[in-house]
Amino acid sequence: MAVVNLTEAAAYEVKDMLKQNDMADGYLKVKVNGGGCTGLTYGMTAEAEPGENDEVLEFYGLKVLVDKEDAPILNGTTIDFKQSLMGGGFQIDNPNAIASCGCGSSFRTAQAAGSPESC
């Protein structure tokens, strides 16, 4: 199993976003940042090329980067994109998260607590 998995819906949504921003050949970088109520937050950015510490994955033609330092925290994570009447959004399911905040945007794992901030 890959460190992270993107569903087909998520991959196509990101590919459309990259095209709209003139980065059709770009990469999606999935990362972990410190902060949030619980200590860690997810980040997704567009990158022109991999960094020296990045693992390169591919899903449905989309190239995805994961920093090797973030890999243990993200291991087994699935990223999906859901569309509803209220709009659409990415959903991240991380089996390593043992706690998350009420807003759902921050988390912690048994091995990584991060740096919690006041909400």
Side-chain angles (χ1 to χ4, degrees):
M1 179 189 277
V3 173
V4 299
N5 294 290
L6 263 71
T7 64
E8 188 173 7
Y12 284 111
E13 184 68 23
V14 172
K15 284 168 65 173
D16 285 346
M17 290 176 169
L18 289 171
K19 272 186 207 166
Q20 290 172 13
N21 289 288
D22 297 322
M23 290 187 71
D25 294 327
Y27 297 78
L28 169 69
K29 180 149 187 176
V30 179
K31 55 188 174 179
V32 176
N33 302 310
C37 307
T38 315
L40 300 170
T41 59
Y42 300 105
M44 294 195 296
T45 59
E47 301 290 336
E49 57 188 51
E52 65 179 54
N53 205 33
D54 288 336
E55 180 177 346
V56 181
L57 308 168
E58 189 168 331
F59 303 95
Y60 305 99
L62 173 68
K63 295 171 285 194
V64 177
L65 306 174
V66 177
D67 188 296
K68 291 176 182 154
E69 288 184 23
D70 293 339
I73 296 169
L74 294 170
N75 193 32
T77 295
T78 298
I79 301 172
D80 194 8
F81 184 83
K82 300 280 187 191
Q83 190 70 43
S84 71
L85 292 173
M86 300 295 288
F90 290 97
Q91 294 182 336
I92 300 173
D93 179 24
N94 184 341
N96 305 302
I98 61 168
S100 63
C101 67
C103 61
S105 64
S106 78
F107 69 102
R108 69 182 148 109
T109 68
Q111 288 75 33
S115 305
E117 300 170 353
S118 298
C119 285

